[in-house]
Amino acid sequence: MRIVTLAVLLSSGLAAAGVKTDHQVDISTTYRTASATMGGARNSSDSIQYLTCQIVATASGISGTCDAQNAQGVQRGCRTTNQYLLEAIKSINDTSLVAFLWNENEECTQIIVRQGSMYGPKL
C-alpha cells in the first residue's frame, strides 16, 4: 500500500513540475504592439480576449493577418503579404507566444513567434 501511495505522490509531483507561464492579451496602441501566449488568451477568465493570425490564399496571391483584443475590448490588427512574415504566421501553434507590430497603415512590420515548454497548450 505504501508503494502505491508513494508512486501516486511522485507522479502527481512530476505533473506539476516545470516552468509554466501564460500571458494574456497585451495591446499597446502607443507602440503599436500586441502579444499573448495562445494558451493565455484562450484560458483567460473573460470571454473577450483573443489573438489570432491567419493566412488566406487566393488565385491571385497569399496574404496574412493578425488580430488581437484585450480584456478591455481594445482591438488591433495588421495585414501582410511579406513572405518572411507569412512564414512566421505558419509556425504558430498552441504552445506559441505571439507578438506583432504594425505601422500607421495597419501593415504588419514584425511578427514574433516564440515556442517553449513554458507556454502550455490551451486547456
Side-chain angles (χ1 to χ4, degrees):
M1 183 67 157
R2 288 183 193 178
I3 294 173
V4 172
T5 304
L6 181 59
V8 170
L9 289 173
L10 287 175
S11 66
S12 64
L14 293 174
V19 175
K20 296 173 187 68
T21 183
D22 278 333
H23 298 280
Q24 295 187 6
V25 178
D26 181 44
I27 295 175
S28 170
T29 56
T30 303
Y31 297 106
R32 296 188 189 115
T33 63
S35 64
T37 57
M38 299 308 279
R42 170 73 176 165
N43 299 322
S44 64
S45 60
D46 58 69
S47 61
I48 297 171
Q49 295 182 61
Y50 65 84
L51 188 144
T52 180
C53 294
Q54 68 177 359
I55 292 179
V56 177
T58 66
S60 60
I62 187 168
S63 64
T65 61
C66 286
D67 295 286
Q69 181 170 288
N70 66 16
Q72 293 73 40
V74 175
Q75 189 274 334
R76 293 293 185 272
C78 64
R79 63 189 180 287
T80 187
T81 57
N82 178 282
Q83 69 177 15
Y84 301 118
L85 298 179
L86 294 171
E87 288 299 319
I89 292 172
K90 289 180 194 178
S91 72
I92 296 169
N93 66 41
D94 65 349
T95 60
S96 297
L97 180 141
V98 178
F100 62 91
L101 293 77
W102 63 91
N103 64 19
E104 62 279 352
N105 297 317
E106 297 182 349
E107 298 165 328
C108 302
T109 58
Q110 191 173 38
I111 298 172
I112 301 161
V113 180
R114 190 171 186 189
Q115 313 292 1
S117 62
M118 70 285 283
Y119 311 125
K122 302 175 293 210
L123 298 176

